[in-house]
Amino acid sequence: MVGLLQWTAGNRIQIETKLILGLRCLCVSIPKRERTPETILYRRCRRGLKKMIAQGVERVILPENSGLEPLVERCGLHTVSTIPLRQRLAADWVSCVLARQGKSGVRIAVTAARLSGAVVQTITELALRHRYLLLELPYGGEELCRSLRREYGVSPQLNPGQGVLETAEVWLAFDPVTEPEKAACKLLRLYDETVPMPSLLLPPILEEQIPSGTCREQMLAALQEAGCLRSGQITLHMETMP
């Protein structure tokens, strides 16, 4: 079960279990008003998090821009990781970047320390949209490139080195890399949860079931991980991307 910390205009901490699009959440509502002192709010949040721990919660979805991540860690909990969500949406993220820049027929670079399922899925999706791929991969990259040539007629350039990778218009990094020196190369750090994403949109019938004021990336990451959202139900809004 995932914990969901929310703000409420009430006078006391409230706890209840809810199903959000099929995801079972322990919802802890914390009283917060415009003039609530930070010290009081901090103590309330700490009590709420302790109540989550007592119920067996290990991961938490926070309010949007709450700044409570350090407190969550000190209490022995973790926020829901958005990294799997970022990796799942990586190919669409590339399309948003290129559409905003008005580019097509460009080179896309992908680097990863291991050939995970998310990496293979992303590269396969990119191969269906772009013919010029630059891949920096560990063992298994050769077989993946042969498969892409056989299935889609795409011939990626494997392990070309840093200098060639920097010639790509967009660079997807699944693991930490040396920052590109060339300003024209847009680096998307899929391992870094602090990197702003485009807005994440759901169909209206699903959107209305998402609690307001919740960190959307964490909520949608939890829903995706639990299998509550099907492929394609999350879309990226190009106009709001940084």
Side-chain angles (χ1 to χ4, degrees), residues 72-130:
V72 170
E73 293 293 331
R74 283 196 291 272
C75 288
L77 295 167
H78 302 281
T79 55
V80 171
S81 174
T82 65
I83 291 176
L85 176 68
R86 293 165 180 269
Q87 294 182 353
R88 175 63 187 87
L89 298 174
D92 291 338
W93 198 347
V94 169
S95 296
C96 281
V97 171
L98 295 178
R100 190 180 189 192
Q101 297 176 349
K103 295 180 179 179
S104 61
V106 299
R107 284 183 285 191
I108 309 299
V110 180
T111 58
R114 63 187 185 91
L115 203 58
S116 66
V119 173
V120 173
Q121 174 182 294
T122 298
I123 293 174
T124 302
E125 290 182 8
L126 290 172
L128 293 171
R129 309 176 191 182
H130 308 281

Side-chain angles (χ1 to χ4, degrees), residues 136-181:
E136 192 77 26
L137 302 172
Y139 298 109
E142 296 85 354
E143 178 57 36
L144 176 60
C145 288
R146 283 194 293 269
S147 176
L148 293 174
R149 283 193 293 268
R150 183 171 58 251
E151 297 292 332
Y152 308 113
V154 176
S155 298
Q157 189 173 351
L158 183 62
N159 300 332
Q162 177 84 10
V164 177
L165 292 172
E166 291 184 4
T167 65
E169 278 75 11
V170 183
W171 179 349
L172 287 176
F174 282 80
D175 299 280
V177 296
T178 302
E179 293 284 334
E181 296 181 359

Side-chain angles (χ1 to χ4, degrees), residues 5-236:
L5 197 68
Q6 297 177 292
W7 304 133
T8 179
N11 297 314
R12 60 185 180 86
I13 298 176
Q14 300 175 330
I15 304 176
E16 61 179 324
T17 301
K18 294 182 179 179
L19 281 178
I20 300 175
L21 292 176
L23 177 67
R24 187 165 176 261
C25 298
L26 181 68
C27 301
V28 176
S29 299
I30 305 295
K32 180 185 179 184
R33 294 186 175 87
E34 184 177 350
R35 297 185 179 181
T36 301
E38 289 296 323
T39 54
I40 293 178
L41 185 62
Y42 180 91
R43 288 199 295 269
R44 289 173 179 173
C45 290
R46 184 171 58 186
R47 288 201 300 271
L49 292 171
K50 294 296 184 183
K51 292 179 184 294
M52 287 185 181
I53 293 173
Q55 295 291 327
V57 169
E58 297 181 350
R59 298 183 302 150
V60 183
I61 299 169
L62 295 175
E64 188 71 42
N65 300 319
S66 67
L68 291 172
E69 289 82 1
L71 175 60
V72 170
E73 293 293 331
R74 283 196 291 272
C75 288
L77 295 167
H78 302 281
T79 55
V80 171
S81 174
T82 65
I83 291 176
L85 176 68
R86 293 165 180 269
Q87 294 182 353
R88 175 63 187 87
L89 298 174
D92 291 338
W93 198 347
V94 169
S95 296
C96 281
V97 171
L98 295 178
R100 190 180 189 192
Q101 297 176 349
K103 295 180 179 179
S104 61
V106 299
R107 284 183 285 191
I108 309 299
V110 180
T111 58
R114 63 187 185 91
L115 203 58
S116 66
V119 173
V120 173
Q121 174 182 294
T122 298
I123 293 174
T124 302
E125 290 182 8
L126 290 172
L128 293 171
R129 309 176 191 182
H130 308 281
R131 300 195 62 82
Y132 306 108
L133 301 181
L134 307 173
L135 309 180
E136 192 77 26
L137 302 172
Y139 298 109
E142 296 85 354
E143 178 57 36
L144 176 60
C145 288
R146 283 194 293 269
S147 176
L148 293 174
R149 283 193 293 268
R150 183 171 58 251
E151 297 292 332
Y152 308 113
V154 176
S155 298
Q157 189 173 351
L158 183 62
N159 300 332
Q162 177 84 10
V164 177
L165 292 172
E166 291 184 4
T167 65
E169 278 75 11
V170 183
W171 179 349
L172 287 176
F174 282 80
D175 299 280
V177 296
T178 302
E179 293 284 334
E181 296 181 359
K182 298 180 180 179
C185 183
K186 174 68 173 179
L187 176 65
L188 299 182
R189 299 186 298 274
L190 302 177
Y191 54 87
D192 187 351
E193 295 187 276
T194 67
V195 174
M197 292 186 69
S199 290
L200 306 178
L201 304 181
L202 294 175
I205 193 171
L206 302 181
E207 185 65 50
E208 63 187 18
Q209 300 180 57
I210 302 296
S212 61
T214 297
C215 177
R216 290 181 61 81
E217 292 179 12
Q218 293 176 0
M219 174 59 75
L220 298 190
L223 289 168
Q224 176 188 261
E225 180 183 336
C228 300
L229 292 175
R230 298 191 305 274
S231 177
Q233 288 185 314
I234 304 176
T235 57
L236 304 183

